[in-house]
Amino acid sequence: MRSIVDIMRAMGWSEETIVRVSRLWGKSAARNGGRTHLLLGHLLDTAAVAEVMWDRYLSAALRRRMEDVSGGRGRSWFMWICGIHDCGKACPAFQAVDEVEAAPVRAAGLTWGRLPADRRQRWRHDVAGAALLRPRLVVEWGSAESAAWVWPLVAGHHGTFPSARGLKPQHREVQGRGAAWEEAQRAVVDVFTRAVGFEGLADVRPVGYLNKAEQLALSGLIVMTDWIASDSEQFAGIADARQVSLDAARRRAEAAWERLGLRGGWQELAVPENPLAPLTGRLGVSPRASQRELVGRAWSMPVPGLMVAEAPMGEGKTKAALAAAEVLAVRFGLDGIFVAMPTQATSDPMYVQVLEWVRSFDPALEAQVALLHGKRRFNPTWRRIWDGDRAVSAGQRAAEDEWSADPFDVYGATEEDAEYGMPSWPSADRLGAREERDGPARWFLGNKRGLLTAFAVGTVDHLLHAATRTRHVMLRFAGLVGKVVVVDEVHAADVYMRQFLLEALRWLGQARVPVVLLSATLPPAQRQAFVDAYLSGALSAADVSCPVPEPAGYPCVTVAYALDGAGVAESSRRVVPSWRASAPTQVEWLPDVAGDGKLIASVVGREVAEGGVALVVVNQVDRAQAVYRALVEGGFEGRVRLLHGRLCSAHRAERTEECLRLLGPGAGEDRPQRMVVIATQLAEQSFDVDADLLITDLAPVDLLLQRIGRLHRHSGTRRPSTVAEPRVLVTGVVPGVGGRPRFLPASKKIYGEWPLLRAAALVAEAAGPLGGRAAGSGVWSIPADVPDLVARAYGEAEVCPPEWDEGVAREVWRVQEEKREKNAEGFLLTRPREWGAPTLEGLHYAGSRAASEEDLDAVVRDGERSVEAVIVRRSAGGYRAVDGTWIGVHGEVDDETAVGRLLGGTVRLPVRLTEAVEAEQTGLAPLPGWAGHPWLRYARALVLEEDGTAVLGSARVSYDDVLGLVANEAERRAEPARSPVSPAAAGTT
């Protein structure tokens, strides 16, 4: 074992310098499990972790790029760039942070004068490292260009990238003055460089360049190695330099990796036996033409690129995308997948589907599939895999979740990190037994780390977060690079969210990440925007316009990629038949904007009187509740289920599961003879149920067609003769002055008037004038008419009668859309038109714009704020959960089961009550007994008094187990349901 002392002596450093370097500390005993860890020891630990990650975690594609840029020395170069990150701790500003640790450093002759006490003038060690390295790299590499993209990787490892101007300290003392400091700093860099296998710093010079997106991904990997190597439980402190060596660090890194249960994904995938094997063999499907087209395109695309699959609802796009992902992974050396869904509700069934798919490669990979959204603890499959059968106490579970929910890089944090409120690393006593070797790696559950798992399913927000100028954005982005990214229901992003999606596509395109976008109702302009954004990244150009050829038909696949410095965009050149023939869908008006729900209830009761399943989709929670009341009070004989976003988490999950079981593709004999499901936009997408009749509020055409996608969805379903043909009744609108439609106020608030006018005009072409005698054909041919209807809905040509004043409505809508686009710009990862910048320098030019996950959700979803609360019922002598579970005099919870039942009562409150909720007088705060619990201590308790109600501002609210949260009738105003594309957090509709 060759220690760093041996290396320093072999390099000819003086004994005086050896002593000084041997005193420099990297982790203080006070924050490192009671044991000091030397700076060079931490650098070598990080390098050793990087080496393990090279072998067991990095994708082949990433390794190839590192080999390219380093001249074939990828492993050693990756070790060096990861380990060198903390060299800036060799400066007075850092060494003085802990008085106990500082004493031996000063005694060895590394002294300093008075340092600035103002926190705003504090010299951070990440910036100090870049300031130390940059001039040396320029001189010893003989290339300012090479140094320019490497130094930001050091400067940014605490989450933000400064500009070059920020590398000059205001006080010379903080960086270290005099020959002693200069020599010690040089020795730290040179000794570490020699220890990892290079002759000297000049030998490290890269022979090529990583582009900016690849630099961002590498930066995230550096942060990952640092966080792992900073775990004092895995890497105990070593204060004797004679015991610090790369060999010892390698043993520690191997052991830590095993104990933490970390691993990558597929590693090396075998080439399928035949091109369609990913569909026929792994997924067990008999390929449809559209599925063949997507998988075939994955085989033929010469380089990683963008694929846009457009096909009717129920066509099997998701399975085709998974098969295409396997092909892309095999061909381009990728190691995992991220599937992004529009909401939490749509993420859960997709998680199960991806689990089964991943399990087909290797059952052991099941534990590497993460579900990324805030309500995952209520998913039984998630809990089975990630919690297993381990019997843990509420206290131990709390400790684990506090550990995994650290706000930033907590491990071994020093005082300079504590300014961000970072807790110290928990001890083994707090955590109890370590996780079992064959279980999932709970390390990945930590904040900002979910995408680092090999396989992940979650809300699209996680993809959008990786395109925001926020702290540690590089960690999120590193979780995407090396994977295939699939975005389902891509049309669901509104204009505000779409700015972040376009920004993400630019970065992914530059990083050579294959992306598959799925939609049944994608406007052509959006398809073009997605292609141009991806190619802008792939070509590193600010403005790219690569016209997409008109597809030959529908379904279709569009691919885009950069080849030989030029963008290529191709669409399906032949007609791809849908798996089922287009069927005439009867379209009729049901004019109604009343608040009592009686007309809809009477119509739906009459339509399924002789049997059948009706789906009612409305745009207001209050309207859904009113229809339910009217239907039940009218004596409807059959099952009735109400599904909306003001149900508590437990009730919503139970009803969603029941609807999927009774009306899904596997329902069979369980399908009810007579049933009505009344829902908000939750039923609009990725809700795999089959209805015989649809009654829906008017919505923009693409979303209206999504709702129609639930109608006669599955083949082989037995239907009563009265509903044997698909019919949709469009409501939520009545004739106004001069025949101009008058819409529900909530619908106008959610969607804007212009898209609704266009939708009404297109419906009227089939159903006849609103409120008049039918004059159209009465039918839409589904799916054949889908692309034309969507294209016309968002096209330039007017479709409304002149008396509707469409032009005025369009201009109002356009101004609002442009304003929302502009609002998003301030949070995007890069300034507009900055794709020419070759490095990460100054990326965080205006700081990081979000301090918490809640703030970040608000960043990527525009609009009014709403809050969640946990419903608690006051009972004699204490409190009970919404399901009646006793939770103690002060709300204290004794076991995890009770915590789960309590949190099952979480509900999102109406937006209009936000101001009242956040006012102190409402008392919507955690119960006293929740103070010590990480899941509960920040939760708001909505305490219902013994009469079952609570007062929020001027409103009185209650919770009904069937209706959900109800506002006092006398106080309630029309409240829109939360659209999946609305500002509410994902999955709250």
Side-chain angles (χ1 to χ4, degrees):
M1 181 179 76
R2 197 175 183 214
S3 73
I4 58 169
V5 173
D6 297 330
I7 293 174
M8 283 190 280
R9 286 182 176 143
M11 294 176 69
W13 291 101
S14 68
E15 288 299 318
E16 185 178 43
T17 299
I18 292 173
V19 170
R20 289 170 177 167
V21 172
S22 297
R23 299 283 174 81
L24 293 172
W25 62 277
K27 302 290 177 183
S28 66
R31 299 185 65 85
N32 194 57
R35 298 179 63 175
T36 302
H37 195 33
L38 296 181
L39 175 55
L40 276 170
H42 174 59
L43 301 191
L44 289 174
D45 285 343
T46 310
V49 170
E51 186 175 38
V52 176
M53 284 174 55
W54 177 274
D55 292 326
R56 306 191 194 178
Y57 181 79
L58 266 61
S59 69
L62 275 171
R63 293 198 304 269
R64 280 198 297 267
R65 285 297 293 136
M66 232 89 72
E67 292 280 11
D68 292 343
V69 82
S70 64
R73 300 176 298 174
R75 176 187 274 102
S76 298
W77 197 86
F78 183 57
M79 293 171 66
W80 181 86
I81 194 62
C82 290
I84 202 68
H85 75 285
D86 260 355
C87 67
K89 288 184 174 180
C91 74
F94 180 87
Q95 295 296 314
V97 163
D98 187 294
E99 292 183 3
V100 174
E101 306 291 356
V105 176
R106 302 189 73 156
L110 293 174
T111 59
W112 52 86
R114 184 173 181 177
L115 301 176
D118 190 340
R119 297 173 81 86
R120 293 171 297 180
Q121 297 179 353
R122 179 161 297 166
W123 187 235
R124 292 182 56 87
H125 75 260
D126 46 2
V127 179
L132 182 160
L133 269 181
R134 185 184 179 213
R136 287 199 62 187
L137 297 182
V138 172
V139 171
E140 299 197 36
W141 287 0
S143 169
E145 291 78 11
S146 294
W149 70 266
V150 171
W151 72 256
L153 301 175
V154 174
H157 80 265
H158 271 265
T160 59
F161 297 99
S163 67
R165 294 190 301 274
L167 302 188
K168 296 181 180 180
Q170 295 181 2
H171 299 270
R172 291 179 58 194
E173 200 72 34
V174 295
Q175 183 73 355
R177 289 198 293 173
W181 272 111
E182 183 179 344
E183 191 171 26
Q185 290 168 347
R186 178 175 288 271
V188 167
V189 173
D190 289 351
V191 171
F192 167 75
T193 301
R194 179 70 63 86
V196 295
F198 292 95
E199 289 297 316
L201 194 57
D203 192 31
V204 183
R205 176 184 172 178
V207 299
Y209 304 88
L210 295 179
N211 64 44
K212 189 163 62 175
E214 292 168 335
Q215 294 167 32
L216 189 66
L218 176 55
S219 176
L221 295 172
I222 292 170
V223 174
M224 181 177 174
T225 60
D226 181 27
W227 286 8
I228 294 171
S230 294
D231 177 355
S232 62
E233 292 193 356
Q234 310 299 333
F235 296 86
I238 301 176
D240 185 347
R242 294 169 297 181
Q243 298 177 19
V244 174
S245 70
L246 181 60
D247 287 341
R250 280 171 165 155
R251 290 192 293 272
R252 287 148 61 94
E254 287 279 353
W257 191 265
E258 290 294 328
R259 284 194 296 267
L260 291 173
L262 301 172
R263 63 158 291 167
W266 289 307
Q267 299 297 306
E268 298 294 335
L269 270 180
V271 177
E273 296 178 359
N274 66 70
L276 290 178
L279 273 171
T280 58
R282 191 168 311 285
L283 291 166
V285 301
S286 180
R288 297 165 179 168
S290 62
Q291 294 173 323
R292 289 173 178 267
E293 177 77 357
L294 184 61
V295 173
R297 288 284 181 168
W299 279 113
S300 65
M301 196 162 49
V303 293
L306 175 71
M307 308 181 75
V308 184
E310 300 170 64
M313 296 71 72
E315 182 78 15
K317 293 185 293 294
T318 302
K319 288 188 175 181
L322 295 179
E326 179 180 349
V327 173
L328 295 169
V330 167
R331 296 188 62 219
F332 301 123
L334 305 167
D335 200 43
I337 189 173
F338 172 55
V339 181
M341 303 298 295
T343 64
Q344 294 176 358
T346 55
S347 296
D348 283 344
M350 181 59 67
Y351 169 64
V352 174
Q353 186 170 344
V354 171
L355 259 181
E356 294 174 354
W357 176 67
V358 168
R359 200 182 290 129
S360 71
F361 292 95
D362 180 355
L365 290 176
E366 176 186 75
Q368 308 304 317
V369 184
L371 176 60
L372 306 182
H373 67 66
K375 300 292 189 301
R376 66 188 177 195
R377 69 175 66 98
F378 301 115
N379 184 293
T381 307
W382 167 266
R383 291 185 71 105
R384 174 183 64 80
I385 294 172
W386 286 79
D387 288 348
D389 298 324
R390 294 176 296 168
V392 293
S393 68
Q396 182 179 330
R397 175 74 61 202
E400 285 195 12
D401 279 276
E402 184 171 5
W403 157 52
S404 65
D406 57 290
F408 299 111
D409 47 327
V410 306
Y411 316 115
T414 55
E415 196 266 339
E416 68 170 8
D417 297 325
E419 66 185 281
Y420 297 97
M422 303 177 188
S424 58
W425 182 261
S427 68
D429 291 339
R430 287 177 61 200
L431 287 180
R434 303 298 297 178
E435 61 192 76
E436 297 169 8
R437 282 280 302 279
D438 59 350
R442 299 190 68 83
W443 188 90
F444 289 123
L445 296 185
N447 197 8
K448 306 183 183 182
R449 284 176 258 158
L451 285 174
L452 293 169
T453 49
F455 311 99
V457 178
T459 55
V460 71
D461 301 61
H462 291 273
L463 173 61
L464 307 184
H465 291 169
T468 56
R469 195 177 61 258
T470 48
R471 192 176 181 87
H472 290 123
V473 65
M474 70 284 289
L475 201 63
R476 302 180 194 279
F477 192 72
L480 296 172
V481 176
K483 289 184 174 70
V484 180
V485 174
V486 176
V487 186
D488 200 5
E489 311 281 9
V490 71
H491 60 271
D494 64 11
V495 67
Y496 181 88
M497 293 172 64
R498 200 152 55 240
Q499 305 315 303
F500 297 97
L501 178 55
L502 293 171
E503 179 76 351
L505 288 175
R506 285 188 280 268
W507 284 86
L508 293 172
Q510 193 175 55
R512 300 179 176 90
V513 174
V515 178
V516 184
L517 306 181
L518 307 177
S519 178
T521 55
L522 189 64
Q526 286 189 32
R527 180 202 305 140
Q528 184 67 59
F530 294 148
V531 165
D532 289 344
Y534 189 89
L535 290 178
S536 290
L539 297 170
S540 298
D543 293 306
V544 169
S545 180
C546 187
V548 176
E550 186 68 25
Y554 176 77
C556 64
V557 175
T558 298
V559 297
Y561 51 87
L563 193 63
D564 299 327
V568 178
E570 302 170 344
S571 288
S572 298
R573 293 182 295 272
R574 58 183 177 82
V575 175
V576 179
S578 178
W579 73 280
R580 60 179 177 182
S582 289
T585 298
Q586 189 73 28
V587 181
E588 304 171 19
W589 288 115
L590 178 60
D592 174 58
V593 292
D596 58 14
K598 291 182 179 178
L599 177 60
I600 293 176
S602 65
V603 170
V604 75
R606 181 178 67 246
E607 293 290 342
V608 296
E610 297 181 24
V613 173
L615 173 63
V616 179
V617 183
V618 295
N619 297 340
Q620 293 172 273
V621 173
D622 295 348
R623 186 165 163 85
Q625 291 172 330
V627 172
Y628 178 89
R629 285 195 193 97
L631 193 62
V632 173
E633 291 170 2
F636 177 77
E637 295 182 1
R639 300 194 196 199
V640 186
R641 293 296 179 268
L642 179 62
L643 187 60
H644 59 72
R646 274 194 245 149
L647 294 169
C648 68
S649 298
H651 292 160
R652 179 170 151 184
E654 290 166 4
R655 288 186 207 173
T656 301
E657 188 279 330
E658 181 188 25
C659 289
L660 293 173
R661 176 173 52 82
L662 296 177
L663 306 176
E669 297 300 319
D670 291 336
R671 183 179 175 86
Q673 180 181 1
R674 186 182 296 106
M675 183 174 183
V676 177
V677 177
I678 305 162
T680 56
Q681 294 95 325
L682 283 175
E684 195 167 86
Q685 53 201 3
S686 297
F687 187 56
D688 195 7
V689 299
D690 183 346
D692 301 319
L693 172 74
L694 173 67
I695 299 179
T696 173
D697 277 346
L698 186 70
V701 163
D702 52 334
L703 305 181
L704 191 62
L705 290 167
Q706 287 288 334
R707 298 177 188 186
I708 293 174
R710 316 306 119 190
L711 186 61
H712 287 231
R713 183 179 178 92
H714 303 140
S715 60
T717 301
R718 294 182 180 178
R719 309 182 197 278
S721 59
T722 53
V723 288
E725 301 299 327
R727 284 175 64 218
V728 54
L729 309 181
V730 180
T731 185
V733 57
V734 294
V737 178
R740 193 177 195 269
R742 180 164 63 86
F743 307 111
L744 286 166
S747 299
K748 288 179 62 175
K749 184 174 182 180
I750 296 170
Y751 303 117
E753 186 177 33
W754 179 71
L756 293 175
L757 284 172
R758 306 275 285 193
L762 292 172
V763 170
E765 289 181 1
L770 179 61
R773 297 174 66 99
S777 65
V779 300
W780 281 346
S781 182
I782 304 295
D785 287 348
V786 168
D788 182 63
L789 286 168
V790 174
R792 293 181 63 201
Y794 291 97
E796 295 296 324
E798 292 193 1
V799 298
C800 302
E803 59 269 22
W804 288 12
D805 292 329
E806 177 189 351
V808 175
R810 179 198 281 267
E811 183 61 20
V812 171
W813 182 80
R814 184 189 63 78
V815 170
Q816 291 174 338
E817 295 288 276
E818 288 181 354
K819 181 179 178 181
R820 296 184 70 199
E821 284 185 23
K822 192 69 176 176
N823 289 342
E825 278 187 10
F827 299 97
L828 296 178
L829 185 50
T830 49
R831 293 183 183 99
R833 302 183 59 81
E834 276 208 350
W835 274 104
T839 77
L840 297 171
E841 178 197 346
L843 187 68
H844 290 81
Y845 63 93
S848 54
R849 300 292 298 272
S852 68
E853 289 292 299
E854 189 175 52
D855 292 338
L856 195 50
D857 287 338
V859 163
V860 300
R861 289 184 181 257
D862 186 26
E864 299 172 293
R865 283 170 28 80
S866 61
V867 298
E868 286 188 333
V870 179
I871 297 172
V872 176
R873 302 186 189 277
R874 195 183 297 278
S875 182
Y879 301 94
R880 294 186 182 275
V882 71
D883 69 346
T885 299
W886 173 253
I887 57 171
V889 176
H890 303 292
E892 56 272 21
V893 185
D894 296 325
D895 60 71
E896 187 186 355
T897 300
V899 171
R901 290 177 176 172
L902 176 61
L903 289 173
T906 303
V907 67
R908 187 164 291 274
L909 303 179
V911 172
R912 69 178 184 274
L913 298 180
T914 299
E915 186 176 341
V917 166
E918 294 183 340
E920 292 184 7
Q921 63 265 28
T922 65
L924 223 60
L927 294 181
W930 297 355
H933 199 290
W935 290 358
L936 300 175
R937 60 185 173 187
Y938 301 119
R940 302 173 188 268
L942 174 57
V943 179
L944 302 180
E945 302 300 331
E946 294 190 39
D947 67 353
T949 69
V951 175
L952 296 179
S954 60
R956 183 174 294 276
V957 299
S958 61
Y959 187 84
D960 183 275
D961 287 349
V962 175
L963 294 175
L965 194 75
V966 180
N968 186 293
E969 288 286 349
E971 304 289 346
R972 191 179 68 236
R973 301 191 304 270
E975 174 71 22
R978 311 306 289 170
S979 165
V981 300
S982 75
T988 60
T989 307

